[in-house]
Amino acid sequence: MPIWLLPIVFIFIIGVLNAYNFMDGINGITGVYSLVMLLTFYYINQYGVTFTDVNFIIYPVLASLVFLFFNFRKKAKCFAGDVGSMSIAFWVLALLGLLVVKTQELTYLLFIGVYGIEVIFTIIQRIKLKENIFEAHRHHLYQLLVNKMKWSHLLVSTMYGVIQLLINFSIIYWKLNFVEGILYLIFPTLIMYVLAKFYIFKTTETY
């Protein structure tokens, strides 16, 4: 890895860790999203390119399933918290990094595309609103769906997981490169995200 790339990788890692922490706000979302990521890695490792010891994927899958048993409920019995969300984020990042280094394919970075869209554009929105981006807020789409539209936590968490699963499946099945993934998958997802927020804004006068 060239020296000039190290600061970019560092910023990316810190960004993903914080994104995971920011997104851990409703029941089920961290567990479901992490399970989607881990099962995607498992499939690639078993049927695509071997990039790690399979146990390094199986263990967090089992941990996520146990966590979801207690968390994926209307009234959760336990929560990830900062330690839990950051820990699973480290694990997911480690696997993602191993995969990218092994294949030299940046396309796999899109496996965290849903979280990326949510966090990046919420930050942009808060800057536009002249808010302190380091203070707590409720501008994420999943928060608006739960708090303003009164959607179920479990429905919203499942929706986020399914969208990311469809993106991951499309990348693997169609063998898309990074640019194609952005154009055909991330951009349409972004459009739906913006339209959803605009609709909530118009119907609930959120901001």
Side-chain angles (χ1 to χ4, degrees), residues 136-154:
H137 67 94
R138 291 192 174 186
H139 292 326
H140 285 303
L141 177 59
Y142 77 85
Q143 293 170 321
L144 298 176
L145 290 172
V146 168
N147 298 321
K148 298 296 182 180
M149 304 302 290
K150 305 304 179 183
W151 287 22
S152 161
H153 285 220
L154 307 186

Side-chain angles (χ1 to χ4, degrees), residues 12-199:
F12 174 77
I13 291 173
I14 296 300
V16 173
L17 291 175
N18 280 281
Y20 246 82
N21 197 24
F22 293 155
M23 295 298 292
D24 181 39
I26 58 175
N27 297 349
I29 193 166
T30 295
V32 170
Y33 197 83
S34 298
L35 193 60
V36 166
M37 295 287 292
L38 293 167
L39 291 177
T40 300
F41 291 138
Y42 178 83
Y43 179 85
I44 293 174
N45 195 65
Q46 294 299 105
Y47 304 104
V49 54
T50 301
F51 63 93
T52 188
D53 187 318
V54 68
N55 289 321
F56 195 52
I57 305 175
I58 291 177
Y59 292 153
V61 167
L62 294 175
S64 296
L65 289 172
V66 172
F67 171 67
L68 282 170
F69 177 77
F70 295 101
N71 182 256
F72 194 77
R73 302 167 181 238
K74 185 176 181 179
K75 293 185 178 180
K77 293 183 178 295
C78 73
F79 304 93
D82 292 341
V83 174
S85 61
M86 296 292 267
S87 297
I88 192 62
F90 266 115
W91 209 311
V92 167
L93 270 172
L95 291 168
L96 181 62
L98 288 170
L99 178 58
V100 171
V101 170
K102 177 72 174 183
T103 62
Q104 297 295 300
E105 289 286 347
L106 293 178
T107 312
Y108 296 120
L109 297 179
L110 302 182
F111 284 175
I112 53 175
V114 173
Y115 270 18
I117 289 172
E118 176 80 87
V119 172
I120 291 172
F121 281 88
T122 298
I123 290 175
I124 293 174
Q125 177 189 16
R126 297 193 70 200
I127 292 175
K128 184 178 179 181
L129 293 172
K130 297 180 180 180
E131 294 182 355
N132 185 342
I133 63 173
F134 299 105
E135 293 181 351
H137 67 94
R138 291 192 174 186
H139 292 326
H140 285 303
L141 177 59
Y142 77 85
Q143 293 170 321
L144 298 176
L145 290 172
V146 168
N147 298 321
K148 298 296 182 180
M149 304 302 290
K150 305 304 179 183
W151 287 22
S152 161
H153 285 220
L154 307 186
L155 173 61
V156 175
S157 297
T158 301
M159 180 181 70
Y160 271 69
V162 168
I163 293 173
Q164 188 62 69
L165 180 62
L166 291 174
I167 291 174
N168 296 358
F169 174 81
S170 299
I171 289 171
I172 296 170
Y173 184 80
W174 298 107
K175 296 180 172 60
L176 302 179
N177 60 38
F178 185 74
V179 174
E180 291 171 337
I182 293 290
L183 291 177
Y184 302 145
L185 300 174
I186 301 302
F187 186 70
T189 304
L190 172 60
I191 296 299
M192 290 190 295
Y193 172 85
V194 172
L195 289 176
K197 270 200 166 180
F198 179 76
Y199 174 78

